[in-house]
Amino acid sequence: MNGCGIEAGEYDYVIVGAGSAGCVLANRLSENPRNRVLLVEAGGTDKKFWIKMPLGYAFTFSDPKVNWRYIAEADQGLNGREIYWPRGKVIGGSSSINAMAYLRGLPHDFDDWARAGAEGWTWQLAEKTYNQLEKNSELNEKGERSVRGDGPVWVWDNSDRMHPFSKHFLAAAKEMQWPVLDDLNREACEGLAYVRSTVFKGRRWSSADAFLRPALKRQNLRVIKNARVEKVDIIDAVARGISYRVGEQRYSAKALKEVIVSAGAINSPQLLQLSGVGPAALLKRHGIDVKHHLPEVGKGLQDHLAVSHYFRSNRPTLNNKLGNLFGKVMSGADYILRRKGPLSVPINQVTGFVRSDRSVAVPDIQLYCNPGSYITTSSGETLLDCEPGFLLCAQPSRPTSRGTINISSANPEEAPDIQPNSLSTEEDRQVVIKAGHLLQKLAQIPAIKNVTEAALVPDITGMNEEEILQNFQERASTVFHPASTCRMGTSAENSVLNSRLQVHGIKKLRVVDASAFPNITSGNINAPTLMLAARAADIILQDDLHAREKHAATKN
């Protein structure tokens, strides 16, 4: 993935991280052949079978070749447990190893961004950007497929490939008096639907597929893989470039216009701190020269937490196909020969947003309903049950607790300290209890009860409020949506970035990824990250145009 024709070491834009956001930026900023763009990625190629096969993320979930495999610090809100945090370390970043669910988020999420100080980041502008990004492959009632939109991101309607058991979840939604929607991204924000996914004809469609590959033929774009960026080079409060290492060899790259950090919600604050931008006391403790005291770097961490409950089914589920060797072999053959069958569809098949009770103004719970039962071990291995089963899961959508990301040493190779600080607010604990009550009702609605042979231990249906909270604290885990560790805001006192994603107090340095979210959005965060990066590219190009116009006016 290396372009050519660029003078080594000097570029207009240097982008750190070829993940969901970095691939968008590399494409957009290199459209102008005058812009020399360098994209640096810590991981290697994404051309791997388990990445491209939709259900293959069960294997990449713990693969150190494509995954940072972080472990969070002991989390007091989760009974002192240390939780596994997978993050993509590969071309495409986490968009190459995630569950491919494409959910825009709810309108109030983005209006909340604007109210938090991210001026201009309203739902109206977010929706416009989404419409430009997406190419929706849809099915009508007759099973005929059509395409809506002409953007680079394939958003696939997989309803014709969903396991037949999933229809029971939608029947349950009707009995719960929740709307059953055709498309969660275009209809009313409350209700359940089949998941739309970043899949194209049975293969994962990552940010690398959508944005990076079409740009690789350009002579003004260079991509360097397996390169660890050690710091942003900052001189007199200006980002001048980066220092990075490939193997044992160290290099530097100059940025004439900007350095853009798109390393993700964990690695972006880590890199800023290693570069001398962050809480001064932390940096001094690790012997790092303080380039700029910016106390909010690494603070504000938010994530979605959920606990799954499993039920033995009296009807066939995915376990009947994939829970035995013969079924795995047959499903594998079906996928290899036709790109069809259960391996061509992500495991999350039905999801949606609902209110925990009628007094809540907007949906505050996301539901996941999967036609399979499985466990994930502490090492990240996914084990599918041999008997037919299904999963019900309720996730609080907008947590208020905030944690931190802090470097553990001055060595870039050492993982940062991740302190989620889960359930540290009473509001979050109460929403967990409400989510538990919601699952109790869902599990006992006739459409679900009629296909249930037994609830597997622990059985949530008989728990009281104290037991619901205790169960969550004992079993809940991240849903892999870390955000807000370099968040946008109004000043250095309450944020890391301004509303144009520029680092407070440092010129020519921006952060563009989920760490920039002022607060976490409802639902899966890959789609909002793509949207943010697309808008960021517009902002960067606008600022460059204004700078050139100003320079020309000065010369005249």
Side-chain angles (χ1 to χ4, degrees):
M1 270 197 177
N2 285 334
C4 56
I6 303 174
E7 182 181 350
E10 188 171 279
Y11 306 85
D12 293 295
Y13 296 101
V14 173
I15 305 166
V16 181
S20 295
C23 289
V24 176
L25 293 169
N27 181 301
R28 292 290 310 283
L29 298 181
S30 65
E31 282 180 337
N32 184 340
R34 295 182 179 180
N35 286 333
R36 297 168 297 170
V37 180
L38 174 67
L39 177 64
V40 182
E41 167 57 38
T45 180
D46 61 333
K47 294 181 179 180
K48 298 176 181 289
F49 177 77
W50 296 122
I51 286 178
K52 296 307 176 186
M53 186 185 78
L55 214 58
Y57 64 88
F59 298 93
T60 60
F61 187 78
S62 59
D63 184 356
K65 295 179 181 178
V66 298
N67 198 317
W68 287 101
R69 291 176 50 88
Y70 288 124
I71 303 291
E73 299 294 302
D75 193 343
Q76 296 309 307
L78 300 181
N79 286 2
R81 291 182 293 130
E82 298 178 353
I83 307 296
Y84 175 59
W85 280 41
R87 306 307 302 154
K89 184 184 180 183
V90 62
I91 293 291
S94 291
S95 78
S96 288
I97 67 166
N98 67 359
M100 291 152 282
Y102 187 90
L103 292 171
R104 291 177 167 188
L106 303 181
H108 65 271
D109 295 333
F110 304 99
D111 291 333
D112 285 350
W113 284 13
R115 282 189 285 269
E119 182 182 350
W121 291 87
T122 61
W123 168 242
Q124 182 180 11
L125 289 176
E127 183 181 32
K128 179 181 178 181
T129 306
Y130 279 130
N131 290 338
Q132 294 169 345
L133 282 176
E134 297 165 4
K135 183 182 295 182
N136 290 271
S137 177
E138 302 177 317
L139 289 169
N140 61 22
E141 294 179 355
K142 297 180 181 180
E144 299 166 334
R145 193 169 288 279
S146 61
V147 175
R148 171 176 50 82
D150 59 357
V153 180
W154 276 105
V155 183
W156 205 267
D157 178 355
N158 287 303
S159 56
D160 59 333
R161 299 188 179 194
M162 298 298 189
H163 194 281
F165 187 89
S166 290
K167 67 178 184 292
H168 297 295
F169 302 134
L170 299 180
K174 292 180 180 179
E175 292 181 359
M176 292 285 290
Q177 297 185 339
W178 297 328
V180 173
L181 307 175
D182 178 60
D183 184 354
L184 282 167
N185 292 318
R186 290 184 63 81
E187 300 185 66
C189 58
E190 186 170 7
L192 266 61
Y194 287 121
V195 179
R196 299 288 178 100
S197 304
T198 48
V199 171
F200 177 60
K201 295 183 178 180
R203 287 168 59 89
R204 176 189 295 274
W205 190 254
S206 69
S207 187
D209 295 312
F211 297 97
L212 186 56
R213 284 197 170 78
L216 288 177
K217 62 182 179 292
R218 298 171 186 161
Q219 296 298 301
N220 60 323
L221 172 63
R222 184 182 183 192
V223 180
I224 301 177
K225 304 188 297 289
N226 301 306
R228 184 61 185 257
V229 178
E230 298 185 321
K231 66 175 181 175
V232 178
D233 298 321
I234 298 172
I235 302 173
D236 297 330
V238 179
R240 303 293 185 180
I242 61 170
S243 296
Y244 64 96
R245 193 182 73 245
V246 179
E248 297 302 317
Q249 187 69 42
R250 282 183 163 82
Y251 302 90
S252 63
K254 294 180 180 179
L256 300 181
K257 292 182 178 179
E258 293 189 18
V259 174
I260 306 165
V261 178
S262 298
I266 298 174
N267 295 79
S268 284
Q270 178 194 26
L271 181 58
L272 290 188
Q273 292 170 2
L274 289 170
S275 306
V277 180
L282 171 71
L283 306 186
K284 290 177 180 178
R285 186 163 69 246
H286 293 297
I288 294 174
D289 291 338
V290 179
K291 300 291 185 177
H292 181 56
H293 171 54
L294 193 55
E296 291 300 309
V297 173
K299 295 182 180 178
L301 171 65
Q302 290 191 300
D303 188 23
H304 289 133
L305 287 172
V307 60
S308 298
H309 285 272
Y310 301 97
F311 301 82
R312 181 73 65 235
S313 172
N314 57 29
R315 310 286 174 86
T317 68
L318 274 174
N319 300 79
N320 297 76
K321 283 263 188 180
L322 300 177
N324 60 81
L325 180 59
F326 178 76
K328 290 177 182 176
V329 171
M330 295 302 293
S331 298
D334 194 17
Y335 182 77
I336 291 171
L337 294 174
R338 303 191 304 151
R339 289 206 192 140
K340 291 188 176 181
L343 301 183
S344 69
V345 185
I347 189 67
N348 294 324
Q349 297 201 359
V350 172
T351 192
F353 301 100
V354 298
R355 288 175 288 165
S356 56
D357 61 56
R358 295 298 176 186
S359 67
V360 178
V362 294
D364 58 342
I365 302 291
Q366 182 179 6
L367 293 174
Y368 296 95
C369 306
N370 296 343
S373 56
Y374 50 88
I375 62 169
T376 301
T377 67
S378 58
S379 64
E381 184 181 6
T382 301
L383 302 176
L384 199 67
D385 205 347
C386 295
E387 300 295 326
F390 63 93
L391 170 158
L392 299 177
C393 175
Q395 164 192 297
S397 292
R398 288 288 301 274
T400 57
S401 300
R402 290 187 181 266
T404 57
I405 303 289
N406 285 325
I407 53 172
S408 57
S409 81
N411 182 358
E413 294 294 331
E414 291 195 23
D417 293 331
I418 303 170
Q419 182 48 260
N421 205 27
S422 304
L423 304 185
S424 57
T425 68
E426 180 61 24
E427 180 180 347
D428 285 357
R429 294 189 287 272
Q430 289 303 313
V431 176
V432 163
I433 293 170
K434 290 181 178 181
H437 285 319
L438 201 66
L439 277 187
Q440 290 176 329
K441 294 177 183 178
L442 181 61
Q444 297 178 84
I445 209 80
I448 297 298
K449 200 166 182 62
N450 290 341
V451 297
T452 302
E453 182 177 299
L456 301 182
V457 176
D459 180 2
I460 194 173
T461 58
M463 294 181 186
N464 59 31
E465 290 191 354
E466 182 180 351
E467 291 167 336
I468 288 172
L469 180 58
Q470 182 180 4
N471 171 68
F472 196 92
Q473 292 170 325
E474 290 175 351
R475 298 181 57 242
S477 185
T478 172
V479 190
F480 323 121
H481 301 160
S484 305
T485 50
C486 296
R487 65 194 185 281
M488 289 185 280
T490 58
S491 69
E493 283 67 45
N494 60 28
S495 60
V496 177
L497 312 173
N498 63 20
S499 59
R500 301 189 77 77
L501 300 151
Q502 296 164 315
V503 176
H504 295 304
I506 302 292
K507 294 180 180 179
K508 297 186 177 182
L509 179 61
R510 300 190 209 231
V511 179
V512 180
D513 54 34
S515 70
F517 293 10
N519 40 58
I520 197 168
T521 56
S522 301
N524 309 67
I525 66 169
N526 191 55
T529 301
L530 296 176
M531 181 278 297
L532 179 137
R535 286 210 58 216
D538 290 339
I539 290 170
I540 293 167
L541 293 172
Q542 288 169 6
D543 287 352
D544 179 52
L545 176 61
H546 293 159
R548 287 188 284 112
E549 289 175 343
K550 184 178 180 180
H551 178 71
T554 303
K555 288 181 66 176
N556 293 334

